[in-house]
Amino acid sequence: MIAPGPTLETERLILRPTAIEDFPRWAESMADESARFIGGPMGPEAAWRGFMTMAGAWALTGVSMFSMIDKASGLWIGRIGPWRPEGWPGNEVGYGVHPEARGKGLAFEAAVAAMDYAFEVLDWRDVIHCIDPANVASQALARRLGSSLIGPTKLPPPYDHVPSDMWGQTREQWRARRSA
């Protein structure tokens, strides 16, 4: 079973809606210590709820994070894409990458496709990234995408106690950078 929605391709990745076969690697990723920046670490029961939230968002709104699938191996290696839950501080392109896939430029490759999708298909005027102030790797990806630190932001419950900085850029800034 796969949630309804579009599929994007990059040189090394397939970006598609959540599929049930993605869950084992999703749960692995959310159990990792680095998941502290995206609501974890957590066991499979809690990870299941987040996983189903993504699938449900695809089914009910047509917008959610894509599953990142490595073309070479067929493995789920993360989630990335447009995200705007109720009460969220803006139109986010968020990301979370499986520990095995880090440091290979895959998140950047996927993020470029997701940003293009958000601006060109969803017609978003701006994009943010909500990043824990201690998440240096996520900040580096935001900078590489051309986003700038806007400042502290408040997330809605149940994340209202989690420190978060807002990074972002406008569609015009993105287009100017992409055409340079």
Side-chain angles (χ1 to χ4, degrees):
M1 298 287 304
I2 186 168
T7 297
L8 310 177
E9 287 197 38
T10 69
E11 181 181 338
R12 299 179 290 169
L13 301 168
I14 296 170
L15 305 178
R16 59 148 172 78
T18 312
I20 197 71
E21 68 260 18
D22 302 340
F23 182 68
R25 295 215 10 121
W26 176 294
E28 283 177 16
S29 188
M30 292 307 296
D32 186 75
E33 184 275 331
S34 64
R36 71 187 181 281
F37 298 126
I38 54 173
M42 61 184 67
E45 299 83 3
W48 177 256
R49 288 189 288 282
F51 179 78
M52 285 297 164
T53 297
M54 291 296 166
W58 275 117
L60 296 176
T61 69
V63 176
S64 189
M65 289 191 201
F66 294 98
S67 282
M68 295 170 51
I69 308 300
D70 178 69
K71 282 183 179 179
S73 68
L75 290 174
W76 182 94
I77 58 170
R79 62 182 187 222
I80 194 158
W83 183 237
R84 177 126 192 202
E86 183 66 29
W88 215 248
N91 296 318
E92 180 164 23
V93 169
Y95 34 86
V97 179
H98 192 282
E100 293 172 6
R102 294 185 188 134
K104 301 174 184 175
L106 295 166
F108 177 74
E109 184 176 323
V112 169
M115 297 278 286
D116 282 344
Y117 181 81
F119 287 130
E120 303 307 324
V121 177
L122 300 177
D123 198 31
W124 285 2
R125 297 189 188 286
D126 53 39
V127 161
I128 65 166
H129 319 285
C130 296
I131 301 174
D132 186 302
N135 191 342
V136 176
S138 190
Q139 293 168 16
L141 177 55
R143 275 189 204 93
R144 190 168 175 207
L145 291 167
S147 291
S148 300
L149 177 61
I150 297 168
T153 192
K154 184 92 167 152
L155 299 178
Y159 304 107
D160 51 335
H161 67 285
V162 177
S164 187
D165 285 336
M166 182 185 303
W167 291 70
Q169 64 185 291
T170 66
R171 179 173 44 209
E172 291 72 29
Q173 290 169 319
W174 178 253
R175 286 178 176 165
R177 192 174 193 298
R178 293 283 281 149
S179 65

